[in-house]
Amino acid sequence: MPPARTPASPGAPRAAADAPWPGAAAPGGTAPVLCGLGSWLPPRRVGNDELSRELDTSDEWIRSRTGIGHRHVADAATATSDLAVEAGRRALKSAGTERVDAVVLATTTPDRPCPATAPLVAAQLGLGTVPAFDVGAVCTGFLYALAAGSGLIALGTARRVLVIGADKYSGILDPRDRSTRVIFGDGAGAVVLRAGDPAEPGALGPPLLGSDGTGADLVAIRSGGSREPLREAADGAADPYFRMDGRTVFRRAVERMADTSLAAAERAGWAAGDIDRLVAHQANLRILHAVADRMRLPRDRCAVHLDQVGNTAAASIPLALAHAVAGGRLAAGHRTVLTAFGGGLTWGACALHWPELTPV
Ligand code: ACO
């Protein structure tokens, strides 16, 4: 029998036989490299005029205040996992692989409050018993999920990770609330990360993330959690719908996305003007322009997709990436910054040289 091991005292040098952890120095590097991109939108496309027939709003108001012209809306039988599976399958195909070692799903609209949706998505993609978990950071969710997937690679837990952003906001909006109904759409986007070298195209710089829980009420579903269970507010006082204080969030979104994007660019050794493409969370065209102005970046370097799909929450960045590549606006070698802001409050940014890949 081997002798019992006594734990080393904190700070004591580790015995040579204990280090490194298996996999920590895996051949091929431990930098997360983006190598596949897929997206999926439910087929039903809803224009501003259709909403104007149901709500006290107009195409003119929606376009001038948000830049949105259409959004896609999933039918009642479609859950977030269905959207995520479609996007995930396409990202795997884009990466030329059928296997990953982990699945991270960013969503605010899981299929059910419990359990997480990611294991179901992994199973439906035929990925076996890989680790799979959800990340909840509202519209910043995709960047938080990228950070989590990158961590799995850096630690040697996984060599390949499928990172998905998927949301079905049509299921949590108050059908009578014109201030949110016109903004949000359903959809999913996904990327594959693989272990590689930090100098390769597609290698992610460190995601810079932040949060401010003092603003938790600004973007929220009030009822249905442990603070205010639905059954305890059954007298009609419950509010199970998504609510947003748009005006306050607007200003904070601009400041946080601009400042964090500049910080991410600086970490990559770039000045603001070096950024070829800013792929920001697609909340509002006026926000995209204000972010670019604050960064002193020409507005035409911002990816714009919200005119077609609205705000798709956690799916917004990978959907915008796929749209930009397909339209020739984002190409291999572009110095690219991804940034988002959302409920929590949460925000983040991440820089990379865009790699050669074909989105599916
Ligand atoms: N049609 C017509 N009028 C409307 C509509 C509509 N669809 N929605 C609101 N209005 C009215 C309001 O009632 C208000 O009327 P009042 O002046 O008589 O009170 C007026 O328009 C102005 O309302 P505001 O809320 O001040 O409008 P604003 O110009 O700020 O635009 C919007 C609202 C589009 C929501 C904007 O504030 C915004 O984009 N905010 C940021 C959203 C964001 O970034 N969210 C974070 C990420 S989302 C997430 O995490 C899930």
Side-chain angles (χ1 to χ4, degrees), residues 23 38 63 86 90 270 287 295 348 351:
R63 279 188 197 275
E86 294 293 348
R90 286 163 173 75
W270 308 337
I287 291 180
M295 293 173 68

Side-chain angles (χ1 to χ4, degrees), residues 220-263:
I221 299 175
R222 208 189 71 216
S223 307
S226 59
R227 172 72 57 202
E228 190 178 301
L230 276 176
R231 65 176 180 277
E232 286 176 18
D235 58 355
D239 184 0
Y241 292 119
F242 174 92
R243 306 286 178 196
M244 178 169 73
D245 176 350
R247 201 176 296 188
T248 309
V249 170
F250 191 114
R251 187 174 43 79
R252 298 206 196 176
V254 171
E255 291 168 2
R256 291 298 189 185
M257 285 200 282
D259 297 354
T260 317
S261 293
L262 288 174

Side-chain angles (χ1 to χ4, degrees), residues 147-167:
S150 301
L152 295 175
I153 288 173
L155 288 166
T157 302
R159 304 284 299 157
R160 279 201 207 107
V161 182
L162 177 61
V163 177
I164 309 174
D167 266 312

Side-chain angles (χ1 to χ4, degrees), residues 14 43 45 50 56 65-66 69 100 121 138 148 175 178 186 198 222 231 250 259 290 305 325 348:
R14 188 186 287 280
R45 193 164 179 257
E50 185 175 336
D56 180 15
R65 304 305 293 170
T66 71
V100 291
V121 172
V138 199
R178 65 179 180 174
D186 303 333
R222 208 189 71 216
R231 65 176 180 277
F250 191 114
D259 297 354
H305 189 213
V325 177

Side-chain angles (χ1 to χ4, degrees), residues 55-58 61-62 65-66 108 137-140 169 177-180 182-184 219 242 244-251 253 257 281 283-284 286-287 311 313 341-344 346:
L55 297 161
D56 180 15
T57 188
S58 64
W61 191 96
I62 301 169
R65 304 305 293 170
T66 71
T108 323
V138 199
C139 291
T140 319
Y169 264 55
D177 183 357
R178 65 179 180 174
S179 72
T180 54
V182 303
I183 290 174
F184 290 94
V219 179
F242 174 92
M244 178 169 73
D245 176 350
R247 201 176 296 188
T248 309
V249 170
F250 191 114
R251 187 174 43 79
M257 285 200 282
H281 169 53
N284 187 319
R286 291 188 292 135
I287 291 180
N311 180 342
F341 181 90
T346 54

